């Protein structure tokens, strides 16, 4: 989606043979046979790009706007240091495999154990599915490009990856809010809990989370890729994400950035505020329980969810609630590792360590333990 403002005619111009320019090299001037003077490439220097897609020169005196597209992006991968990739690739494969096994085990255990057929575990089952999909949207591709050394990803594939990733991330955000509401009702309204949190209500909350995530993601994907991309196509990340992609636009992206920031702040922070309000109600109720054992038992049902909320919002806000112009490649990758890789993969551990019912269900699943 590259836009060049210049002087063009409807008469044909000489085609330039595709040339890959190395990092650090200056862009050459391409000269049309119909026009005498040479015109330097308008793109930034010192980046890898496809020259044939970048520079178009005027052929005569008529004014015609021309739009060209970057057809591919280049992902950096986990690290720019080849020696470090030998350590990083096995680590992420191990974490990814661990996350898949852990989350799939939770799903199977909840489906098989009748004692876990409750709203809390229904939401946990959906969260585990989201976490599996969340990591699968980025890690396999990132491992592949780091292993092969070729980070080329097509334009449409980059669009699809960003859309899927944002859909899953925002859906998890809404689902965490629904889970906080579930714990709120279980502690504040225990007598009405079964009536309010019926199976129909649980399904409606999950469907709403998915629909909301899809709409939110569609907006941000359009907001990002409606910008023209004409020059450097190197994404300083291991997957297509908003800040590193938006920085590659060859026009001023501040308006798109501000609109995206405003929408993110309203929607995501509203969801976070509802989660916080739920926990305010939970804490205010728990502290009024007379016995220490009763307070501890009530709070233990929320501790796993609270840990996940802190990790998810803490690392995610560091990445998205700041301007793309202040994006740092190293900090961006590190934050993304936490909220898109480690947190989803460690959620099974967080939810099983202090949950006796879940630990028993997993023992029954893998060890054949009888109830």
């Amino acid at each position: 989606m590259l836009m060049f403002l210049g002087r063009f005619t409807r008469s044909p111009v000489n085609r330039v043979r595709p040339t890959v320019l190395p990092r650090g090299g200056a862009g050459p001037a391409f000269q049309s046979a119909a026009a005498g003077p040479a015109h330097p490439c308008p793109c930034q220097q010192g980046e890898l790009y496809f020259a044939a897609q970048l520079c178009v020169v005027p052929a005569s005196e008529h004014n015609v706007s021309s739009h060209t597209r970057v057809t591919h992006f280049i992902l950096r991968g986990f690290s720019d240091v080849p020696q470090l990739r030998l350590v990083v690739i096995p680590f992420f494969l191990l974490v990814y495999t661990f996350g898949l096994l852990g989350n799939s085990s939770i799903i199977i255990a909840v489906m098989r154990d009748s004692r876990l057929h409750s709203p809390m575990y229904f939401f946990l089952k959906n969260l585990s599915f989201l976490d599996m999909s969340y990591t699968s949207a980025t890690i396999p591709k990132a491992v592949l490009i780091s292993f092969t050394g070729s980070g080329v990803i097509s334009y449409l594939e980059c669009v699809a990856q960003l859309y899927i990733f944002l859909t899953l991330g925002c859906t998890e955000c809404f689902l965490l809010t629904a889970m906080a509401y579930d714990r709120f009702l279980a502690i504040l309204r225990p007598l009405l809990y079964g009536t309010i949190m019926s199976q129909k209500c649980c399904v409606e909350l999950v469907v709403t989370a998915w629909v909301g995530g899809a709409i939110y993601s569609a907006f941000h994907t359009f907001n990002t890729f409606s910008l023209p991309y004409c020059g450097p196509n190197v994404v300083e990340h291991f997957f297509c994400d908003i800040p590193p992609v938006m920085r590659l636009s060859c026009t001023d992206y501040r308006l798109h950035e501000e609109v995206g920031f405003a929408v993110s702040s309203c929607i995501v922070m509203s969801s976070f505020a509802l989660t916080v309000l739920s926990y305010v109600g939970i804490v205010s109720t728990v502290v009024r329980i007379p016995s220490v054992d009763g307070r501890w038992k009530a709070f233990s049902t929320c501790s796993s969810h609270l840990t996940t909320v802190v990790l998810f919002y803490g690392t995610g806000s560091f990445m998205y609630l700041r301007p793309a112009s202040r994006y740092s490649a190293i900090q961006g990758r590190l934050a993304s590792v936490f909220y898109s890789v480690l947190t989803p993969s460690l959620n099974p551990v967080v939810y099983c360590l202090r949950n006796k019912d879940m630990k028993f269900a997993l023992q029954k699943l893998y060890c054949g333990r009888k109830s």
Side-chain angles (χ1 to χ4, degrees), residues 67-341:
H67 294 262
T68 58
R69 279 189 176 185
V70 164
T71 58
H72 294 80
F73 290 102
I74 300 175
L75 298 175
R76 282 295 191 194
F78 294 117
S79 174
D80 296 331
V81 182
Q83 294 79 4
L84 192 59
R85 293 176 184 172
L86 299 178
V87 179
V88 171
I89 293 176
F91 170 76
F92 280 99
L93 279 177
L94 180 64
V95 172
Y96 176 64
T97 304
F98 178 81
L100 286 182
L101 291 176
N103 285 298
S104 60
S105 298
I106 289 179
I107 294 174
I108 296 173
V110 171
M111 294 176 64
R112 292 184 58 178
D113 196 326
S114 58
R115 293 179 305 174
L116 302 182
H117 293 175
S118 65
M120 182 177 75
Y121 295 106
F122 174 79
F123 289 126
L124 180 58
K125 178 178 64 176
N126 283 273
L127 179 66
S128 296
F129 175 77
L130 268 174
D131 288 337
M132 290 174 57
S133 306
Y134 200 41
T135 53
S136 298
T138 57
I139 299 302
K141 179 68 176 181
V143 169
L144 179 62
I145 65 176
S146 296
F147 181 76
T148 61
S150 173
V152 177
I153 181 172
S154 70
Y155 181 89
L156 292 179
E157 188 178 359
C158 188
V159 173
Q161 186 183 55
L162 179 62
Y163 176 77
I164 294 173
F165 178 78
L166 291 178
T167 298
L168 296 170
C170 189
T171 301
E172 180 161 346
C173 173
F174 295 150
L175 186 61
L176 290 174
T177 302
M179 295 174 74
Y181 176 68
D182 170 72
R183 293 297 85 206
F184 172 83
L185 289 178
I187 294 177
L188 269 74
R189 299 288 186 269
L191 298 179
L192 299 176
Y193 174 70
T195 303
I196 298 175
M197 294 301 293
S198 61
Q199 183 177 4
K200 179 182 178 182
C201 179
C202 293
V203 172
E204 288 175 349
L205 287 173
V206 172
V207 171
T208 301
W210 276 99
V211 173
I215 296 174
Y216 175 88
S217 177
F219 164 77
H220 274 291
T221 303
F222 176 79
N223 186 56
T224 301
F225 286 98
S226 60
L227 288 166
Y229 294 93
C230 65
N233 58 349
V234 179
V235 180
E236 297 289 346
H237 211 339
F238 59 88
F239 65 93
C240 291
D241 205 357
I242 295 176
V245 171
M246 189 174 285
R247 292 178 73 245
L248 299 179
S249 173
C250 54
T251 60
D252 189 357
Y253 56 82
R254 283 179 296 180
L255 178 59
H256 290 250
E257 180 184 62
E258 291 171 358
V259 171
F261 182 83
V263 172
S264 298
S265 300
C266 291
I267 296 179
V268 177
M269 296 312 295
S270 296
S271 179
F272 178 70
L274 291 175
T275 304
V276 172
L277 288 176
S278 298
Y279 273 100
V280 170
I282 290 172
V283 172
S284 64
T285 302
V286 170
V287 295
R288 292 199 298 265
I289 298 177
S291 66
V292 176
D293 292 339
R295 289 197 297 266
W296 178 254
K297 183 178 180 180
F299 187 73
S300 64
T301 62
C302 310
S303 58
S304 300
H305 177 261
L306 183 60
T307 302
T308 302
V309 168
V310 171
L311 289 174
F312 181 81
Y313 279 101
T315 55
S317 60
F318 176 82
M319 185 69 180
Y320 294 106
L321 296 183
R322 60 175 182 167
S325 56
R326 294 177 54 190
Y327 173 79
S328 169
I330 297 178
Q331 293 179 357
R333 293 181 199 177
L334 186 60
S336 297
V337 165
F338 275 96
Y339 76 83
S340 67
V341 180

Side-chain angles (χ1 to χ4, degrees), residues 19-21 25-28 41 43-45 47-51 54 231-233:
T19 306
V20 177
L21 303 180
C41 177
C43 306
Q44 300 176 14
Q45 305 298 325
E47 297 287 352
L48 179 65
Y49 56 90
F50 295 97
L54 308 182
N233 58 349

